[in-house]
Amino acid sequence: MTVPEPPARIDGITYYIWTDVFFGDMSQGRMNQFVPQLILGSALDGSDGPPQYKPHWGEHATWAFGAHYFFETLNASTDSVDAHAAYGPLFAAMPGETLFTSFEAEAAAAGPVWTLKMGALNDSSRVSVLRVPQPYMGLGATWAEPSTSWAEKNYSNMCINSCWELYGANDVAHLPSSGSQYKLAITRQAAASFPWVTQWDEDEGANKSCARSAIHESHNATTQIVTWDISVPPPPAAESVPSLRGMA
């Protein structure tokens, strides 16, 4: 993605700009998503790590990014839903530069091990890496119905999304001062049995007064490319958030 110019005003904003993989859930798990993200304003930016992976929020006057796994779990003791986050290192980002996001699964005896990366293109000193060996960072091992491996059935259901998730961007002054471009590259084995999803569209913000965008898809036997161009300034009454979705 291209890092946009920041808004003229950052008071009251929370920005999450990302490409994610959203998995199906198992047992007591909820909101199971790999979501490396570019952030600005008051945002979820870290975690206290094991054993509970409690989220941390901070204030950011300039762009920052990091690899991130967000999930929720049903607390059987309180009958509430608890939020959790695992985070890689956080790095600064500069307007106009290109950031990459990657999700790679490596075969292992207990099931796939995922590695999430988000980094500045051509700058190896700014690459945030997060290794996720188990769903829900292993918290599912003690559940009444345990969930401990990415090889479990529901995790083969994945939704791929990109989003400008902007809170507090209620006028032009609080919107990014420039647009952005996403380029999604999805690869598969040539003999893969599933078809490409060729119709990509906005599931939020479409036909509303949000930033204008254009989507283009192309593919061959092994690689699919989806390009999403977002342009600003939007119409004066912009309040919606553009979001791009595809299914895998």
Side-chain angles (χ1 to χ4, degrees):
M1 74 171 76
T2 307
V3 179
E5 293 290 334
R9 296 180 57 183
I10 63 170
D11 56 298
I13 67 166
T14 296
Y15 279 14
Y16 301 111
I17 296 179
W18 45 262
T19 293
D20 81 342
V21 176
F22 211 124
F23 292 90
D25 291 316
M26 293 287 287
S27 187
Q28 295 170 217
R30 305 287 187 274
M31 290 290 290
N32 190 16
Q33 57 178 319
F34 294 163
V35 58
Q37 55 195 15
L38 176 68
I39 60 175
L40 188 67
S42 178
L44 196 165
D45 63 0
S47 164
D48 70 354
Q52 291 300 315
Y53 294 94
K54 295 180 180 179
H56 175 272
W57 282 264
E59 296 289 336
H60 298 270
T62 56
W63 293 113
F65 69 88
H68 175 214
Y69 174 28
F70 180 83
F71 58 95
E72 296 176 340
T73 59
L74 177 63
N75 188 320
S77 300
T78 63
D79 199 30
S80 61
V81 174
D82 297 334
H84 304 271
Y87 236 105
L90 208 63
F91 294 100
M94 275 64 78
E97 72 176 343
T98 299
L99 302 181
F100 71 87
T101 299
S102 67
F103 310 95
E104 297 183 3
E106 180 183 355
V113 173
W114 284 93
T115 299
L116 288 55
K117 294 182 182 179
M118 189 173 191
L121 198 64
N122 301 320
D123 185 353
S124 60
S125 68
R126 287 186 293 139
V127 178
S128 181
V129 181
L130 178 65
R131 185 175 169 84
V132 186
Q134 292 179 288
Y136 311 107
M137 298 305 288
L139 296 183
T142 60
W143 294 343
E145 180 187 345
S147 178
T148 59
S149 171
W150 288 111
E152 293 164 18
K153 182 178 180 180
N154 284 13
Y155 304 133
S156 64
N157 181 23
M158 295 176 284
C159 183
I160 301 169
N161 310 269
S162 292
C163 188
W164 270 23
E165 186 178 355
L166 313 181
Y167 301 96
N170 298 320
D171 54 36
V172 172
H174 291 86
L175 283 163
S177 300
S178 68
S180 182
Q181 183 186 77
Y182 287 81
K183 185 176 182 181
L184 281 67
I186 305 166
T187 60
R188 67 179 186 188
Q189 295 180 352
S193 59
F194 63 88
W196 292 122
V197 174
T198 58
Q199 183 61 46
W200 290 69
D201 54 24
E202 293 182 27
D203 70 330
E204 296 180 40
N207 301 316
K208 297 180 181 178
S209 55
C210 62
R212 298 181 180 91
S213 69
I215 303 165
H216 177 74
E217 183 274 345
S218 63
H219 64 270
N220 56 31
T222 60
T223 304
Q224 181 179 48
I225 302 295
V226 181
T227 304
W228 188 30
D229 287 294
I230 302 172
S231 60
V232 293
E239 295 182 355
S240 302
V241 177
S243 177
L244 175 67
R245 178 178 63 182
M247 295 294 293

